Amino acid sequence: MINDIISESIKEKKQKLAKFKRNMLYFRWTLLIFIIPAFLFGSEYVISKNSVYQIMVLTAIYNTLITLLIIFSRPERVKKEVAIVFYVDVVLICCISYILGGIQSDIFIVLLFIIAYYGISRDIASIVNITIFTITVYSVFTLGFERNRLNEFNYWRLITRDLFMLITAYAVSIVITEVKKYDEMHKREFKLARTDKLTGLANRHYFDQKLEEEALYADYARQPLNVLMFDIDNFKKFNDTYGHIWGDKLLSMFGDIVMQNIRKTDIPVRYGGEEFIVLIGDLDLEMVKSIGDRIRGQLEKQNLNMGSEHTKCKVTVSCGIAQYPTHSKDIKEVIDFADKALYYAKEIGKNIVVSYDEIGKLRETVQIDIETYLNN
């Protein structure tokens, strides 16, 4: 199953790349087949039909080469190569503009399409760069065509066209900014949907989604997945005594303690109420027990000041641990085993860390201690 998940991820990336390439090619060939010929054949500047056909053939050859480049380019290099192609396109359109009479040709409108399309697929810095490049190259080619009569040249017309390019870039940058705002809002909403508001840890919904995936990854990597289940001791009594506000503060504080003692790759979850779960991969039971005991000990050291120097309280936590696939090859059963280990930790005195395979040993030890006490 893990191979299926990996295959699906690769397939999704390939589909996105294929869509990007397809849209890029549609854009290029639409320009070549419909827009550029319209300017070539509709130009008021005197140019022979043979020259028009030659430009069309050369442009078609160029576009075919670019098409092959896009189709066969490596996935990691596609966007970089496409960016270079856009800059070459700008130079090509400026060359055609030069042939069609410089400022007399309206083919500069194609440059607006290029800026807009390139900008939508990039960031604002990229739009600024290509816009400056386009204005510079277009202005140089236009002035070059008019070099013999610069005194009579209509500079205002050139400035107006350059302004059109700036306005296009500005409009695209606004669109990109709004899209980014929407994406960020969507990410925040997604994070809120899977995060417990009080503690900042993952919530039960996210845990249920992530559990099977983590188990599959453990199988794929051939490494264990540890489930640590914590429950704050006597939490109901604490809540009834000091109120829900202090109860919430305690839960939030314990969430911080958990975060301070685990790695970024581990998954801390508020499982419900005063119960917490931490998923820890690729560590043996002894190491995981030491992590659980460190969390337990750190909470025990906290001396909660309940509003005054005379009202202080110590709180403890119990922890049960089970390991996948050591204790079971069914991850849901491992959760149940961690819960049983936690229940047993509560049963034998609380404020202790117990792994599932220790239940029998500890029960025998407790029985021996009882028999020794009775015999004495």
Side-chain angles (χ1 to χ4, degrees), residues 318-332:
S318 299
C319 175
I321 300 174
Q323 189 179 76
Y324 173 89
T326 308
H327 296 139
S328 174
K329 293 183 179 179
D330 182 349
I331 187 61
K332 292 183 179 178

Side-chain angles (χ1 to χ4, degrees), residues 44-213:
E44 295 179 358
Y45 188 75
V46 179
I47 181 174
S48 66
K49 286 188 177 181
N50 286 337
S51 297
V52 170
Y53 291 130
Q54 286 173 3
I55 292 171
M56 286 294 300
V57 170
L58 291 173
T59 307
I61 293 171
Y62 165 74
N63 215 31
T64 302
L65 293 174
I66 297 301
T67 300
L68 294 174
L69 174 67
I70 293 171
I71 291 173
F72 295 107
S73 60
R74 295 179 182 177
E76 67 274 11
R77 297 176 59 184
V78 170
K79 289 199 172 182
K80 185 176 180 181
E81 291 174 350
V82 165
I84 296 171
V85 167
F86 271 103
Y87 281 86
V88 177
D89 288 345
V90 169
V91 176
L92 176 65
I93 297 300
C94 289
C95 287
I96 296 175
S97 175
Y98 182 91
I99 294 170
L100 294 179
I103 202 70
Q104 304 301 320
S105 173
D106 290 331
I107 201 170
F108 84 96
I109 293 172
V110 176
L111 296 175
L112 304 182
F113 285 110
I114 292 174
I115 291 172
Y117 189 86
Y118 179 80
I120 289 172
S121 62
R122 303 279 166 166
D123 54 22
I124 293 176
S126 299
I127 300 173
V128 173
N129 291 336
I130 197 168
T131 303
I132 292 173
F133 178 81
T134 303
I135 289 173
T136 302
V137 174
Y138 179 72
S139 299
V140 168
F141 272 81
T142 302
L143 292 172
F145 183 85
E146 302 287 344
R147 61 187 178 277
N148 294 325
R149 51 191 185 92
L150 290 176
N151 292 334
E152 303 173 6
F153 181 67
N154 187 347
Y155 289 96
W156 178 244
R157 194 173 184 184
L158 175 61
I159 292 170
T160 302
R161 293 186 173 185
D162 290 342
L163 284 173
F164 284 157
M165 296 180 200
L166 286 172
I167 292 169
T168 301
Y170 177 69
V172 173
S173 67
I174 291 175
V175 172
I176 290 175
T177 302
E178 291 301 316
V179 169
K180 282 188 175 181
K181 284 181 181 177
Y182 174 79
D183 287 342
E184 288 172 2
M185 183 179 68
H186 181 71
K187 287 176 182 177
R188 284 198 298 270
E189 289 176 353
F190 179 71
K191 185 177 180 181
L192 288 173
R194 63 179 190 173
T195 304
D196 176 61
K197 293 181 181 179
L198 180 62
T199 62
L201 306 183
N203 59 22
R204 177 72 177 269
H205 177 68
Y206 177 73
F207 173 77
D208 290 340
Q209 290 181 326
K210 195 72 176 173
L211 184 62
E212 290 289 344
E213 182 182 328

Side-chain angles (χ1 to χ4, degrees), residues 238 242 246-247 304-308 311-313:
F238 180 92
Y242 302 106
W246 279 102
L304 299 179
N305 188 344
M306 316 302 293
S308 71
T311 312
K312 292 185 177 181
C313 177

Side-chain angles (χ1 to χ4, degrees), residues 286-302:
E286 287 303 314
M287 182 66 73
V288 171
K289 274 196 70 177
S290 69
I291 294 171
D293 199 55
R294 187 165 66 241
I295 293 171
R296 180 204 61 78
Q298 197 164 326
L299 179 63
E300 186 182 21
K301 290 176 184 177
Q302 301 297 319

